[in-house]
Amino acid sequence: MTAKIPRTVAGWDSILASLKLAWRAGGWPLFKALLSKNTCKSCALGMGGQQGGLRDEQGRFPQVCKKSFFAQASDMQAEIPLEFFERHAVATLRTWTPLQLEHAGRLTRPLLLTPDRQHYRAISWEEALDLAVDRLRAASPERTFFYASGRSSNEAGFLLQLLARNFGTNNVNNCSFYCHQASGVGLTESLGTSTATVQLDDLDQSDLIFLMGANPASNHPRFMRNLLDVRRRGGKVIVVNPARERGLENFSVPSEVRSLLFGSEIASTYVQPHIGGDRAFMKGVAKALFNMDEHKPGVIDASFIEEHTEGFEIYKRFVTAASWPEIESESGVSRDQMESVAGQYARANNVVFAWAMGITHHAHGVDNVQSIVNLSLLRGMLGRRYAGLLPLRGHSNVQGIGTVGVTPQLKKEFLDNLESLYGIKLPAQKGLDTLACVESAGAGLFDFAWNLGGNLFGSNPDSKFAEAALGKIGFTLYMNTTLNQTHFQGRGQTTLVLPVQARDEEPEPTTQESMFSYVRLSEGGPARYAGPRSEVRIIAEVARRVLKESAIPWAELAATRNIRQVIGRVVKGMQKISDIDVSREEFHIEGRILHEPKFSTASGKARFKVSEKTVHKMEAEPNHHFLMMTVRSEGQFNTVVYENFDKFRGVDCRNVVLMNPADITALGWRDNDTVTVKNRTGTLAGQKLVAYPIRSRNIMMYYPEANVLVPRTHDLQSRTPAFKSIAVQVEKEN
């Protein structure tokens, strides 16, 4: 199989695909749903809310992408018929692909799977709630955990963590631990904040954007318009990615006529480091800046560093002591290219650094993030307008879920406020993060697990271990809109699946937070099906019945407005959420956007951070060994697969190994050869070789299918698994 990479991507193809999705969903009903005052169900770039559907935080129209159509069309599928589960045993459904499960339809009835049965069976809501209540009551707090995805609302997330802590456990975590937790930890240590330092408006005046370890053409398509605008203003976009992605070279923005017709150049400079070589690359850029500053003082912002930072001298010695051959070997980037990038950075006035999981999904993910922070501090690109840091978050409310407390340990002020409000004492010790919960499940330490959305099995490294571990949990509760792998390969000994309403079906308004720390209000809407229920009302009902002696008024908290009033009182910076349903005033969370050099660290200064960790060097590996990174396709979102083909890469299936053409030739192989990929963690056979412009000695495979090869190696500081730096062996099959 040869990748048939198009000249430009998106454009008319995305428009036609979106129209087909709309037609499949009934035409106008889908457009009406997208135009409603509900936030987008896709990425956290943010769209919708009170400015109306298809509008971003600045009110620009139309702001929509094919992924928005995918997500909306999924919620408008026909319901799964009752006989579906009578026909298909769990043993059969566990072999279905993520695509097949997603397209099976909407969940509309509570489903129960007990150890004595091979099929899920539909049960009544009364039986389902009684069972959930009984099993939670029977469990001791230390043998439970609670997990939430970024699909849910702030209100549902807050209520779930409040239930868990009042029950007696801090084993509360979310999907961020498997994506951007390294960003949160790294930023907090360096700056005292865990989120983006810029707002959307800042991008309008930036003249250079570093795009590192990210592929927004596939994963955050509307961000491509911001990159296009930078280039149109005469600015630059420096892409740092081991693979040369066509969408980052030339992209047709559907909402912009000239771009739609002719395509738009995105990257002004494209750097291809080794997988895991980003930190060394940034060290090289910093070394070049120091060299430039010796001949032209002012390249380094000495006054900013003196007044607003600490740790600079240690960092400078760390960088200048490194030799160029060492940096080139570790990064895979030439000195000339690093010096060229440094020169472009030195000439820019307003610089934004944006990154995603190509930076965080490493055993040194926090170090990667802090290397970015260090570069920004060198030139004073923090604490002012039009410059700063932007982690490109995944799901539409993943940041909000963390803000409202779905974490293993609440901040002291949050905890104190909560205890004071209700006159209660909550557990203070740190609970288990997501990976620790799964590993503890593998040790047989859990009797009860509550999953608010998500696909916990599909998002886990080491798929074989994850299935066995999750299977040891006594009782597992899932709340979802559609089927996914976790219902079959991540099921507990007894599993209950509760069908829930989508964001635009909620009976009351809910809120979500974008990656720019902007809180939006979704109005909800009419129910599409009779069976699914509101997430908030389900959680409140279980809490009311389990925690009868609690001082918390659970019945009152079945109303989302009452939850927001509590959030406004206990969560720092969220005061405006208390009456957002009345004021309709959406807002940036206070203290997040850094337009002044005031940092929430103990000293009030930003910190240069240095790590001496070594990284994997490809040159030392034998011929058939590669570093592999897992990636997502244009036709998927997180673990949800909407299409098997990937038009942006010119690939028509997902069982592929994307490899440098020179590596294929050197091994005496050919495009379309069948290979097996293996390591100590697992084996994946029957994969097709596809020639692709990726750095030599590096390969790409699709997530979540390749998770069977991903070890539980993780960043020690953030506990983020290393999904993008996996040593593997590739062997040709006969």
Side-chain angles (χ1 to χ4, degrees), residues 16-179:
L16 292 173
S18 298
L19 290 174
K20 288 179 181 178
L21 286 167
W23 178 262
R24 190 188 309 162
W28 171 242
L30 186 140
F31 284 104
K32 184 179 179 181
L34 289 172
L35 288 165
S36 67
K37 291 185 177 181
N38 290 287
T39 61
C40 174
K41 299 172 183 177
S42 191
C43 79
L45 194 67
M47 183 189 77
Q50 293 307 291
Q51 299 209 51
L54 313 191
R55 294 184 186 275
D56 64 17
E57 293 169 18
Q58 296 173 298
R60 290 181 296 196
F61 179 92
Q63 292 291 302
V64 68
C65 70
K66 192 167 79 170
K67 290 186 187 293
S68 301
F69 277 82
F70 273 135
Q72 189 61 58
S74 176
D75 286 339
M76 299 176 71
Q77 295 182 87
E79 62 181 311
I80 300 174
L82 189 60
E83 59 270 18
F84 176 89
F85 294 101
E86 297 172 355
R87 291 199 311 268
H88 302 297
V90 169
T92 299
L93 291 172
R94 71 177 301 280
T95 68
W96 281 30
T97 65
L99 175 70
Q100 290 174 302
L101 293 172
E102 173 65 19
H103 286 178
R106 275 291 297 272
L107 289 164
T108 59
R109 302 171 182 84
L111 301 170
L112 178 64
L113 180 67
T114 51
D116 59 322
R117 294 179 62 89
Q118 301 301 312
H119 295 254
Y120 273 99
R121 65 181 178 89
I123 61 175
S124 69
W125 271 103
E126 291 72 21
E127 184 181 353
L129 292 173
D130 285 346
L131 181 60
V133 168
D134 290 344
R135 295 302 291 264
L136 183 55
R137 278 178 179 163
S140 59
E142 68 274 9
R143 294 184 63 85
T144 66
F145 78 85
F146 297 76
Y147 170 87
S149 82
R151 178 191 63 78
S152 297
S153 66
N154 290 324
E155 292 78 8
F158 180 84
L159 201 60
L160 184 70
Q161 66 85 26
L162 184 59
L163 182 162
R165 297 186 207 285
N166 196 214
F167 183 67
T169 184
N170 276 338
N171 295 334
V172 178
N173 49 75
N174 67 72
C175 56
S176 178
F177 281 88
Y178 282 174
C179 55

Side-chain angles (χ1 to χ4, degrees), residues 449-494:
W450 189 324
N451 295 262
L452 178 61
N455 177 2
L456 187 54
F457 166 79
S459 61
N460 255 280
D462 195 351
S463 300
K464 185 177 180 181
F465 173 83
E467 181 171 11
L470 296 172
K472 294 180 181 179
I473 300 170
F475 180 85
T476 301
L477 169 61
Y478 290 111
M479 296 170 63
N480 294 95
T481 56
T482 57
L483 291 173
N484 62 54
Q485 290 173 293
T486 205
H487 300 132
F488 308 102
Q489 292 175 266
R491 65 190 189 278
Q493 295 173 26
T494 296

Side-chain angles (χ1 to χ4, degrees), residues 210 238 269 271 281 285 336-346:
F210 277 88
I238 298 176
T269 297
V271 181
F281 163 75
V285 173
D336 286 346
Q337 190 166 29
M338 286 184 274
E339 289 179 331
S340 172
V341 169
Q344 294 177 60
Y345 181 28

Side-chain angles (χ1 to χ4, degrees), residues 699-724:
I699 62 173
M700 298 194 305
M701 298 179 72
Y702 284 115
Y703 163 101
E705 292 87 347
N707 286 359
V708 68
L709 299 166
V710 180
R712 282 170 280 143
T713 304
H714 56 273
D715 179 271
L716 294 179
Q717 298 178 76
S718 67
R719 303 274 301 168
T720 304
F723 283 95
K724 295 196 184 296

